[in-house]
Amino acid sequence: MTTQSEVRTMTTKTQIQTPVAVPQRAEHRKPYRVKLGGWWWALPALVLMLIVIYATTVAGGFFAFTNWSGLGPFDFVGLQNFVKIFQTPELIGSLWNTLLLAFGFLIFTNIFGLLFALALNRTLKSRYVLRTLLFMPVVVSPIAVSYIWKFIFDYNGPLNQAMTAVGLPKQNWLADPGLAIWCVLVVMVWQNIGFVMVIYLAGLATVPIEMEEAAALDGASTFRRFRYVVLPMIQPSVAIATTLTLIQGLRVFDQVVALTGGGPAGATQTLALEVYQQAFTYQQFGFGAALALILSLLILLFSLAQQYATRDRSLKEA
C-alpha cells in the first residue's frame, strides 16, 4: 500500500523528468530593402563619379585616335598622333623634363621629409610649432607659392641681392636653360616637404620606443637602429609617400606655368603643359588627348612599379 509521502515523491520525480518547453525567440531578419536603401543613398555620388572620371577618361582615350579640333567634325587617324609624338624632338624633350622633375621630386621630397620627421618626432620641445611652420606651405596654392618664388628668383630679386652682398655674381635663374628646371624643382620640393613629413610622422608614431631602447642597449648605432628597427616598421608610410610624390611629380603643371611657362627655349616644358597647350592653345584636341593618354599610362606604369618595389615583403614571407 502506497503512503501519502511516497505519492508526493513520485509526483515530484515525474515533474522533474518532464521536459519544460522553452519558448524560442523569433529570428529578426532585416528586410532586403534596407540594404538596397543604402545603395540608393550612394547612387548620386556613384553616377557623378562615373560621369566626371570614367566617362571623360574613356572619351579622352577615344579622341586620342582622331584629329578633332575641339569643335566640329573629326576623322579617325589611327596611331598617327602617337607616331607624331615620338617623332617630334620637342615632345621627347618634354618627356625627359617630366621624368627629371618627377624623380628629383620623389627623391628630395622624401629624403627631406623623412629627416624632418625624425628630427621632430619625440625629443624636441618646440616640435609642434616647427611641424606647423613646415606644413604651412602645403595649404597655400601652388600658383601663389610659385609667384612668390618667381619674385625671389628675379634678376633684381632678394636672392641675387644676397649673392651680390657676399661677392658672388648675379644669375639669370629663370632665364638660363641650365638653371630654370632646377628652380622649378626647388619650388616643388620646398612646398611639399611638410606633406611628406606628416606621412612619416604618422608612421613613426607606430614604432614602439621600447624596441629602439632595446636596440640601443644592445649597442646598435643610430643608423643601425633606423635601418633595422624603424625603417621596416614605417614601410607602409614609405609606400604611400613615394607613390603620391611620384604621381604629383609626373603631372607637374602649376609651378611650370607660373615660373617659366615652359621656357626658356622649352627647357622646362613638361607633358602636362604640352597637353594643355596642344588642346586649348593650338586647338589640336585629338593630339592633346593622345599626349594625355601617354601621360596617364606613364603614371600608371611607374606607380605599379613603385608599389611593387616598396611592398611589404614580410607579409609575403609569412
Side-chain angles (χ1 to χ4, degrees), residues 186-204:
V186 166
V187 176
M188 294 170 60
V189 172
W190 179 84
Q191 185 176 12
N192 291 277
I193 286 176
F195 175 71
V196 176
M197 177 196 68
V198 169
I199 296 176
Y200 284 125
L201 282 173
L204 291 172

Side-chain angles (χ1 to χ4, degrees), residues 198-228:
V198 169
I199 296 176
Y200 284 125
L201 282 173
L204 291 172
T206 64
V207 180
I209 192 172
E210 293 81 7
M211 295 186 64
E212 296 184 58
E213 291 175 348
L217 291 174
D218 289 340
S221 63
T222 303
F223 177 76
R224 285 181 175 272
R225 292 201 302 269
F226 171 75
R227 172 66 181 84
Y228 296 105

Side-chain angles (χ1 to χ4, degrees), residues 10-284:
M10 292 174 61
T11 307
T12 306
K13 288 182 179 180
T14 306
Q15 289 176 351
I16 294 174
Q17 291 176 358
T18 304
V20 179
V22 179
Q24 294 183 354
R25 277 187 177 178
E27 265 188 46
H28 180 67
R29 294 183 180 178
K30 292 183 178 180
Y32 183 71
R33 65 175 178 274
V34 174
K35 295 182 180 180
L36 186 61
W39 283 105
W40 281 113
W41 280 107
L43 187 60
L46 292 174
V47 171
L48 186 63
M49 184 181 68
L50 288 173
I51 295 174
V52 174
I53 299 177
Y54 296 104
T56 53
T57 302
V58 172
F62 170 78
F63 286 115
F65 299 93
T66 68
N67 61 355
W68 190 40
S69 63
L71 295 171
F74 57 86
D75 297 319
F76 287 97
V77 295
L79 299 176
Q80 185 176 338
N81 288 331
F82 300 94
V83 173
K84 183 181 177 181
I85 290 172
F86 291 104
Q87 289 181 347
T88 306
E90 291 81 6
L91 297 178
I92 300 298
S94 300
L95 174 61
W96 287 116
N97 291 338
T98 302
L99 294 178
L100 174 62
L101 289 174
F103 285 99
F105 180 66
L106 167 69
I107 294 169
F108 290 114
T109 306
N110 280 276
I111 289 176
F112 287 117
L114 181 57
L115 289 176
F116 278 115
L118 291 171
L120 304 177
N121 185 26
R122 290 195 185 104
T123 56
L124 202 61
K125 290 184 178 180
S126 59
R127 60 186 181 274
Y128 298 110
V129 176
L130 294 175
R131 288 178 188 177
T132 304
L133 292 175
L134 283 169
F135 190 76
M136 282 176 63
V138 180
V139 301
V140 183
S141 168
I143 292 290
V145 170
S146 299
Y147 277 116
I148 294 172
W149 276 94
K150 188 175 184 179
F151 167 72
I152 296 173
F153 286 132
D154 189 77
Y155 187 76
N156 295 316
L159 181 57
N160 275 337
Q161 289 180 6
M163 293 179 64
T164 305
V166 296
L168 296 175
K170 292 183 177 181
Q171 299 289 336
N172 289 314
W173 297 103
L174 299 178
D176 187 340
L179 296 175
I181 194 167
W182 298 106
C183 293
V184 174
L185 182 60
V186 166
V187 176
M188 294 170 60
V189 172
W190 179 84
Q191 185 176 12
N192 291 277
I193 286 176
F195 175 71
V196 176
M197 177 196 68
V198 169
I199 296 176
Y200 284 125
L201 282 173
L204 291 172
T206 64
V207 180
I209 192 172
E210 293 81 7
M211 295 186 64
E212 296 184 58
E213 291 175 348
L217 291 174
D218 289 340
S221 63
T222 303
F223 177 76
R224 285 181 175 272
R225 292 201 302 269
F226 171 75
R227 172 66 181 84
Y228 296 105
V229 178
V230 177
L231 190 59
M233 298 195 70
I234 64 170
Q235 190 71 20
S237 297
V238 174
I240 293 171
T242 50
T243 301
L244 293 178
T245 50
L246 179 61
I247 293 173
Q248 189 173 354
L250 286 171
R251 59 185 184 87
V252 56
F253 178 80
D254 297 341
Q255 292 85 352
V256 176
V257 171
L259 289 170
T260 63
T268 59
Q269 191 81 352
T270 61
L271 284 179
L273 184 58
E274 283 285 355
V275 171
Y276 171 79
Q277 290 178 342
Q278 294 293 336
F280 300 104
T281 303
Y282 306 133
Q283 299 297 316
Q284 296 181 357

